[in-house]
Amino acid sequence: MTMSDYAPMFLAKLKALFVQRRDESAFDEEIDVHLEMLTEKYERQGLSAPEALRAARRQFGNTTLLKQRQRESRTTMFFADTWQDVRYGTRQLAKTPVFTIVCVLTLALGVGANTAVFSVMHAVLIKMLPVEDASHVFYLHTTGFPKNISQTGDPATSFSYPIYRSLRERSDLQEVLTFIPMSTSGKVAVRVGVAPEEATGDMVGGNYFRGLGVGTELGRGFTQKDEDDHAPVVVISESFWTTRFARSLDVLGKTLYIKSIPFSIVGVAAKRFEGTEGKLPVDFWIPLQSRPEFNAWGAPADEGIYLTEPRLWAMKLMVRTAPGVSREQAQAQAQAVFERAAYTGIAPKRAGDPTYQLSLREAKQFDSQDGTFARSLRILMTMVGLVLLIAMCNVVMLLMARNARRQREFSVRLALGAGRKEIARQLLAAGRTCRHARSL
Amino acid sequence: MATDKSEVLQGTLDLMILKTLQALGPLHGFGIARRIEQLSEDVLTLNEGTVYTSLLRLQQKSWIGSEWGVSDNNRRARFYSITKRGLKQLTVETENWERIAAVIGRVLALEATN
């Protein structure tokens, strides 16, 4: 058979799997008609009816065998055999429930732990933010800050308003985006109707959604005017929209009270976008606000507002680099602007003070502050990997012990004519069934 | 083993069926069996059931097609006909057969002269 004949052959067999029953009855009919015609032929030649029938049967051959052969060659016997093995394996496992349960649980534990840790690892170390062209978006980090300033307790990611403005106005970065948590926990009191609740919110620049390339499900994102006017408008997340507004289409224009101040809902952010805070999914975003009760991180206003107090470093920054500009080039440009802006409005840099270095960090789902979190995750992953290995060893030993006990049974089956291949295949099928039970 | 023998027979049967369908047009299984019986003049004893095994094999290779129709004596019957692929295959197999037959013929002739 040439190569080109395998394709129609396989397709025919595959098709036959599904139309098997119909095919079989059609084939039975075909054989019956043939036999009838053959019988008639013999009757015409002068045989009596029973004789003719016998002669026809003799001439035709063994119909049962033929039907069986027909079935075998019509479908690939492989499927039927596999199914048989699976059933056999299931029966074997059902006969020894304790063994089965132990195996299934051991494997389930090992695999479950691995899956859980891997999903966390994926989210933290690998997954990028769901923004447009994430490879050009970076978190901005600094190695330090001048003396006498107050910041958020997160020294690497805190910047002052003058730095934000300077980077936006004087650098060649395509976009400089800011986002500020509403409180140290991220959560603030909000109210949709009458019932107060807590929600996670960020104050962001007017270019936040446009700069990240995050669209909206409904309504609009922010504009520069929203930022300049500190407009009382709010964009909510898709999940907040789902849980609090049941995805109602007339959510736009409704009022969300944040710290008792009314904000008008103007948009619903694109699905899957949950802000840039990493650990905490953000429920809503408002433009940068100037009211004292909306000071950055919910800080008391008596030490100054983040917008006007250059000694308060409280803004988190992200940048989008222009196309064709490398990360290093962008970093160097930003560094020059940063060095000047860092001392705007505060005591100038003194001789001997270190120069603080900016760095651009990839826009992963989680802003990697430093390697410790990642490192501990990797250790955890290794550990659960070992757990899985131990679990598998356990199961293997259990299976081996059991098969050793079944030596006698195997001898009998070999003696009865089972091929070694068949026995191995059946054992494999039993193992497979065990694994599938676990994954259920 | 018995399968070795039938393997040879199957191959030849396939070729005979293809040729029959090419020469006579659409036929049902009974018709094909009659035709082969007629031509073989009782030299070949054919289990007619094997015709169907062969027909299925040919169909799976897309060398023949089939559709249901009504036979001469008003019975529902499946009529087989040769496909384009089948015609191509028939040419190939015929040449093949002739080549082998020629070789065997030569070999046998050689033995006779010695």
Side-chain angles (χ1 to χ4, degrees), chain A residues 160-231:
Chain A
S160 67
Y161 190 71
I163 299 173
Y164 166 61
R165 296 304 304 185
S166 308
L167 282 174
R168 279 192 73 169
E169 284 150 22
R170 305 216 183 92
S171 79
D172 294 329
L173 295 165
Q174 187 169 318
E175 300 282 354
V176 178
L177 311 145
T178 184
F179 54 104
I180 311 171
M182 300 285 290
S183 70
T184 42
S185 72
K187 293 188 181 275
V188 286
V190 300
R191 148 167 93 77
V192 175
V194 283
E197 57 180 323
E198 279 197 319
T200 308
D202 264 4
M203 288 194 288
V204 300
N207 60 346
Y208 186 72
F209 290 104
R210 184 173 44 81
L212 285 176
V214 171
T216 51
E217 298 285 320
L218 271 186
R220 62 175 180 93
F222 294 137
T223 61
Q224 190 52 46
K225 196 166 179 308
D226 290 327
E227 179 184 340
D228 297 340
D229 297 349
H230 311 301

Side-chain angles (χ1 to χ4, degrees), chain A residues 333-373:
Chain A
Q333 285 172 359
Q335 178 69 27
V337 178
F338 172 68
E339 277 175 33
R340 252 174 291 128
Y343 294 93
T344 307
I346 59 175
K349 187 179 177 181
R350 283 174 304 189
D353 279 353
T355 302
Y356 309 114
Q357 294 294 327
L358 278 188
S359 58
L360 304 184
R361 302 291 177 92
E362 281 181 318
K364 297 273 172 66
Q365 192 89 21
F366 281 66
D367 182 10
S368 52
Q369 309 276 357
D370 49 45
T372 50
F373 192 36

Side-chain angles (χ1 to χ4, degrees), chain A residues 14 17 22 44 50 90 113 171 247 256 261 301 324 353 406 415:
Chain A
L14 203 63
L17 256 188
R22 208 179 60 210
R44 273 200 303 279
T90 315
S171 79
R247 303 180 73 89
L256 178 69
I261 309 292
D353 279 353
R406 288 169 64 187

Side-chain angles (χ1 to χ4, degrees), chain A residues 52-217:
Chain A
L53 186 61
R54 255 200 310 280
R57 288 221 171 114
R58 206 164 41 238
Q59 171 76 356
F60 194 83
N62 186 338
T63 50
T64 318
L65 189 66
L66 181 66
K67 283 177 191 171
Q68 169 68 13
R69 283 235 191 87
Q70 196 82 352
R71 219 174 5 252
E72 279 174 22
S73 59
R74 206 178 301 121
T75 63
T76 46
M77 267 321 253
F78 174 77
F79 293 106
D81 278 354
T82 308
W83 177 232
Q84 193 186 6
D85 290 344
V86 168
R87 277 193 324 221
Y88 178 77
T90 315
R91 278 204 305 278
Q92 289 292 314
L93 291 174
K95 260 200 269 180
T96 49
V98 177
F99 170 83
T100 308
I101 289 169
V102 169
C103 279
V104 169
L105 284 184
T106 316
L107 285 176
L109 205 67
V111 174
N114 269 276
T115 316
V117 174
F118 182 77
S119 359
V120 174
M121 210 168 111
H122 174 74
V124 173
L125 301 180
I126 301 166
K127 212 163 145 199
M128 301 295 276
L129 281 174
V131 299
E132 195 187 307
D133 193 11
S135 60
H136 279 100
V137 178
F138 300 96
Y139 294 102
L140 207 55
H141 283 216
T142 170
T143 53
F145 47 89
K147 289 200 175 62
N148 301 326
I149 70 131
S150 57
Q151 39 78 28
T152 59
D154 208 353
T157 58
S158 300
F159 298 92
S160 67
Y161 190 71
I163 299 173
Y164 166 61
R165 296 304 304 185
S166 308
L167 282 174
R168 279 192 73 169
E169 284 150 22
R170 305 216 183 92
S171 79
D172 294 329
L173 295 165
Q174 187 169 318
E175 300 282 354
V176 178
L177 311 145
T178 184
F179 54 104
I180 311 171
M182 300 285 290
S183 70
T184 42
S185 72
K187 293 188 181 275
V188 286
V190 300
R191 148 167 93 77
V192 175
V194 283
E197 57 180 323
E198 279 197 319
T200 308
D202 264 4
M203 288 194 288
V204 300
N207 60 346
Y208 186 72
F209 290 104
R210 184 173 44 81
L212 285 176
V214 171
T216 51
E217 298 285 320

